[in-house]
Amino acid sequence: MRGYRGAVLRFADDRSALYEEDGLLVIGPDAAGRQVVRAVGPYDKLAPDYEGIAVEHLPGRILAPGFIDLHVHFPQTDVIGSPADGLLPWLENYTFPHESRFADPAYAAEVAKVFLDELVRHGVTTALTFATSHPQSVDALMAEAQSRGLRLIAGKVLQDRHSPDGVRDEAVQSLLDTESLIRRWHGTDRLGYAITPRFAPSCSEEQLRGAGELAAKYPDVWIQSHVAENKDEIRWVHELFPAARSYLSVYDDFGLMRERAIYAHCIHFDDEDRALMRSTGAAAAVSPTSNLFLGSGFFDYEGAERVGFRYGLASDVGGGTSFSPFHTMLAAYYVGREGQTKPGVSLGPQALWWQHTAGAAVALGLEGVVGNLQPGCEADFVVLDPGATPLLARKVAHARNLDELLFSLVVLGDDRVIERVVVDGH
Ligand code: GUN
Ligand code: ZN
């Protein structure tokens, strides 16, 4: 066992932040040999029980849960900042041509390293990730994540229509490939698999049906896709699936709505869609930098809270503009203000931080496993330096309470604040 003494941030079940200014975090193996939080609390209360262990003192530093990115595309690392009139031209002109390069396993392996370096450098220790339609892109990413001991969930993209040569797959083979990737990677070390229909317009009914059958056969495998992101996309879905009540209900009709199903964007919803999210236990990956960059729209936080479905924050790189959870939280704050109808601060810093850590873990069905520093959680955490930049240091020195401290970090923070990242206790 090992201890870290510093300020400690974690979250209670009611989403509020728990903060020990002078705390102790004790890490060690559980009965199954996993590196977990063995104890956490005020230093003066806990220290007498752990006199025999080595404790590293980190004055002025904050220990916080590793961030969770609920939706990101590893093959779009180099697509960041590609401007387009909207989602569909962006896919056609930048994203699909770039993703075709991942047929080459050596290229996929090289980008996998860069991608995971970027995630970890920004304090992200768990991600739900799209690969490309090439099974070898999943192998490259999983192998690299495995060698780093990361908790990562990824899947081969399914897209057998309305997709150009180079990324288009074929229904029967794509489903065989998906099942063999599930068997190879799901539950291997800290890795998980996600069945990954790109979005309804890129998948034939046969492919969606097969995806739903796999989702039923492997209930603890994740599902990830996109929904209700862009108005042109939604019009197209109505043409392709005229019998469906809404875009979201297409996925329900094919058995793709359940717990552990994560849908990116969820912007242009009505209350029936929201009720379907709630009743099925599916979750939304809110991707504000992407939605602002591509001009897609604004996630309706008040609607989500009124109906009560799960959601968390995501970068959606490369539609998204940054790997930084701080940038994503700040963009979410702007979006929350845009949709705000009630007075008061729309999304406080504790709520924003929760959405990128413990709340994202709830969305993934990994509550108590990652995204928090409560006892029993896996030992993935970041050491934050609130004095990392001169302006931040000045601002934090004047913070009178936890909200002011966290808001300073949300607004002024970036990768410079991430002083150290501990993954699986290392
Ligand atoms: N819809 C289908 N594919 C994509 C993608 O790669 N990014 C985003 N933002 N939306 C999508
Ligand atoms: Zn996406």
Side-chain angles (χ1 to χ4, degrees):
M1 281 196 287
R2 242 167 330 121
Y4 299 85
R5 180 181 181 181
V8 181
L9 176 70
R10 60 201 157 107
F11 291 89
D13 290 344
D14 69 358
R15 305 184 184 186
S16 64
L18 302 168
Y19 190 70
E20 254 89 47
E21 205 130 341
D22 183 16
L24 180 65
L25 181 71
V26 179
I27 302 297
D30 67 2
R34 294 178 317 146
Q35 288 290 320
V36 298
V37 176
R38 298 286 301 265
V40 58
Y43 179 81
D44 58 356
K45 278 221 187 98
L46 272 185
D49 295 340
Y50 293 93
E51 271 175 356
I53 69 169
V55 174
E56 184 175 3
H57 193 195
L58 297 161
R61 302 299 189 267
I62 302 168
L63 307 169
F67 291 101
I68 298 175
D69 192 336
L70 210 44
H71 176 82
V72 58
H73 298 254
F74 114 77
Q76 295 176 16
T77 301
D78 296 306
V79 177
I80 293 178
S82 303
D85 277 348
L87 171 68
L88 300 176
W90 176 82
L91 286 172
E92 191 179 322
N93 296 325
Y94 291 103
T95 306
F96 291 155
H98 189 75
E99 288 194 8
S100 69
R101 299 183 64 180
F102 288 74
D104 173 4
Y107 184 71
E110 180 207 326
V111 179
K113 284 191 172 59
V114 175
F115 171 75
L116 294 179
D117 283 350
E118 283 299 306
L119 283 188
V120 173
R121 222 168 59 68
H122 285 91
V124 175
T125 52
T126 293
L128 175 62
T129 314
F130 273 52
T132 63
S133 57
H134 317 95
Q136 55 271 38
S137 73
V138 177
D139 289 331
L141 182 63
M142 293 290 207
E144 190 59 37
Q146 186 180 30
S147 76
R148 298 172 188 227
L150 273 169
R151 189 173 264 288
L152 187 97
I153 306 163
K156 175 207 129 47
V157 172
L158 300 168
Q159 53 180 124
D160 69 344
R161 66 169 172 168
H162 301 131
S163 305
D165 292 350
V167 293
R168 191 177 58 258
D169 60 10
E170 183 277 320
V172 172
Q173 188 59 45
S174 70
L175 298 164
L176 291 170
D177 287 341
T178 295
E179 188 159 20
S180 69
L181 288 165
I182 291 171
R183 294 220 171 108
R184 187 170 318 144
W185 294 114
H186 186 69
T188 300
D189 294 342
R190 303 182 78 204
L191 306 173
Y193 193 83
I195 298 164
T196 307
R198 178 162 213 127
F199 65 156
S202 75
C203 302
S204 66
E205 298 203 1
E206 182 189 5
Q207 197 176 43
L208 288 171
R209 192 170 304 111
E213 285 164 7
L214 287 172
K217 184 170 173 185
Y218 298 97
D220 67 338
V221 159
W222 284 268
I223 299 166
Q224 58 180 345
S225 192
H226 298 93
V227 74
E229 177 178 6
N230 168 285
K231 295 244 168 90
D232 295 329
E233 169 209 25
I234 293 168
R235 266 192 293 279
W236 195 18
V237 171
H238 285 307
E239 285 164 30
L240 293 170
F241 301 91
R245 192 203 73 82
S246 71
Y247 185 170
L248 184 68
S249 69
V250 173
Y251 296 120
D252 192 39
D253 295 344
F254 288 100
L256 292 164
M257 297 286 294
R258 61 154 166 75
E259 298 208 348
R260 295 196 166 203
I262 311 290
Y263 286 91
H265 310 300
C266 303
I267 296 170
H268 307 284
F269 267 6
D270 60 20
D271 271 358
E272 277 194 59
D273 293 320
R274 295 185 182 100
L276 183 58
M277 293 292 289
R278 182 196 164 107
S279 66
T280 56
V286 181
S287 307
T289 73
S290 172
N291 300 153
L292 295 167
F293 184 74
L294 292 174
S296 304
F298 305 93
F299 181 77
D300 183 346
Y301 276 102
E302 288 186 1
E305 284 300 318
R306 188 181 62 247
V307 178
F309 63 86
R310 295 172 187 165
Y311 60 85
L313 282 175
S315 70
D316 192 30
V317 160
T321 52
S322 174
F323 281 102
S324 173
F326 298 103
H327 293 172
T328 302
M329 291 189 285
L330 180 57
Y333 177 70
Y334 295 145
V335 167
R337 288 210 76 100
E338 173 71 24
Q340 182 181 12
T341 58
K342 299 182 194 118
V345 175
S346 57
L347 282 170
Q350 297 186 30
L352 293 165
W353 212 293
W354 178 86
Q355 289 176 46
H356 229 332
T357 54
V362 171
L364 287 171
L366 292 176
E367 193 173 0
V369 179
V370 287
N372 211 338
L373 290 178
Q374 297 286 47
C377 288
E378 292 176 352
D380 290 341
F381 62 94
V382 290
V383 179
L384 305 178
D385 177 9
T389 72
L391 185 59
L392 187 56
R394 283 179 67 85
K395 185 82 182 86
V396 162
H398 295 120
R400 288 167 306 177
N401 54 45
L402 180 60
D403 275 354
E404 290 186 4
L405 170 67
L406 297 181
F407 241 139
S408 303
L409 288 160
V410 166
V411 174
L412 296 174
D414 57 31
D415 51 309
R416 291 170 290 183
V417 169
I418 310 289
E419 186 172 81
R420 196 191 307 181
V421 182
V422 174
V423 171
D424 200 23
H426 302 290

